[in-house]
Amino acid sequence: ARQDKIDAIKRMREQIADMATQIRQKEQLAEKLKKDWGKMPKNVNRNVYTYRILDIINSIAKQKASIRLIITDIKDVQKSINKTSSTLVRTELVADETLYSMARAGKGGRQTEAQVKSYRLLVEMREAFEKLVDAVNKAGKAENSKRELESKTELLRARVSGVSVEGIVGDLAKVKVENKELMKVIKQKMGK
């Protein structure tokens, strides 16, 4: 049950990272559309662009609400895990104390080999469990770092491709202006 909760937290964190990436991308798109909107000629029907921008903003608001719900769920699961962990610790202490006292006192005041071995196995089991928990925590941290790097990579790719597209659009506009000027020159020379 504890592992299921940990897995659920990992899935929720992945969803949060994905949604956060989507939100960043949509915010960038909204900013780009706002800039493009300002550059557009005044005779273009701006209602379409306004509708797109508002739609993106509404989508971002919905995603932010979803992220808030997921964060709340994660906090609830974390509380449950903490409660279960504290119960587990108390139970382990009782078992440890009972086995230790039995191994120490033994039957009729004498320790039996089975009692001592039981206590040693309990200690070894606890140590192995702690190593397992540490390994799971390290794996979770590595996975979070990986996801964070992936989202940063996506963001950088979006920036680079956005810059490239803007550069191409700017170059195209310059070529159009140059073509118009050349057409004027050609028409003047043809008219002479």
Side-chain angles (χ1 to χ4, degrees):
R2 183 175 186 197
Q3 186 61 38
D4 292 340
K5 291 179 182 178
I6 291 172
D7 291 340
I9 287 176
K10 287 180 184 178
R11 284 191 302 274
M12 288 180 194
R13 286 184 178 160
E14 288 177 21
Q15 290 174 348
I16 287 174
D18 291 342
M19 286 184 184
T21 301
Q22 289 176 1
I23 286 172
R24 280 188 230 110
Q25 289 172 347
K26 289 186 180 183
E27 285 176 341
Q28 287 177 348
L29 180 61
E31 287 298 316
K32 183 183 179 306
L33 288 174
K34 283 181 184 178
K35 288 178 184 176
D36 290 347
W37 181 70
K39 294 177 185 177
M40 294 290 293
K42 303 301 178 200
N43 59 356
V44 175
N45 185 359
R46 294 180 183 219
N47 289 337
V48 175
Y49 294 104
T50 304
Y51 176 76
R52 283 186 188 171
I53 292 170
L54 291 175
D55 188 44
I56 290 170
I57 290 171
N58 288 336
S59 176
I60 290 171
K62 287 177 186 176
Q63 287 181 353
K64 284 183 179 181
S66 295
I67 288 174
R68 280 189 227 106
L69 287 174
I70 290 172
I71 289 172
T72 302
D73 289 345
I74 287 175
K75 287 179 182 177
D76 291 343
V77 169
Q78 190 65 45
K79 285 178 186 177
S80 177
I81 287 173
N82 290 341
K83 184 178 177 182
T84 304
S85 295
S86 65
T87 302
L88 177 65
V89 167
R90 288 192 304 271
T91 304
E92 284 178 347
L93 287 175
V94 169
D96 185 39
E97 192 175 310
T98 303
L99 281 175
Y100 180 75
S101 63
M102 287 175 64
R104 191 167 181 226
K107 192 173 186 180
R110 295 183 322 171
Q111 294 177 338
T112 65
E113 193 174 318
Q115 292 168 332
V116 173
K117 188 174 181 179
S118 296
Y119 182 72
R120 284 186 191 144
L121 289 174
L122 176 68
V123 170
E124 288 174 12
M125 183 176 68
R126 185 178 299 120
E127 289 172 356
F129 182 74
E130 287 173 1
K131 288 178 184 177
L132 179 65
V133 168
D134 287 341
V136 168
N137 284 337
K138 287 178 183 176
K141 288 178 183 177
E143 191 173 323
N144 286 341
S145 296
K146 175 187 158 203
R147 238 181 280 113
E148 189 175 309
L149 288 174
E150 286 174 350
S151 68
K152 286 180 181 178
T153 302
E154 287 178 26
L155 208 79
L156 288 173
R157 283 185 184 151
R159 284 185 191 161
V160 168
S161 66
V163 168
S164 298
V165 170
E166 289 174 1
I168 291 170
V169 169
D171 292 343
L172 180 63
K174 289 177 185 176
V175 167
K176 286 181 179 179
V177 169
E178 289 175 7
N179 284 344
K180 286 181 182 179
E181 290 173 3
L182 288 173
M183 289 300 289
K184 288 179 184 177
V185 170
I186 290 173
K187 285 180 183 179
Q188 287 176 356
K189 288 187 178 184
M190 296 289 282
K192 288 183 179 181

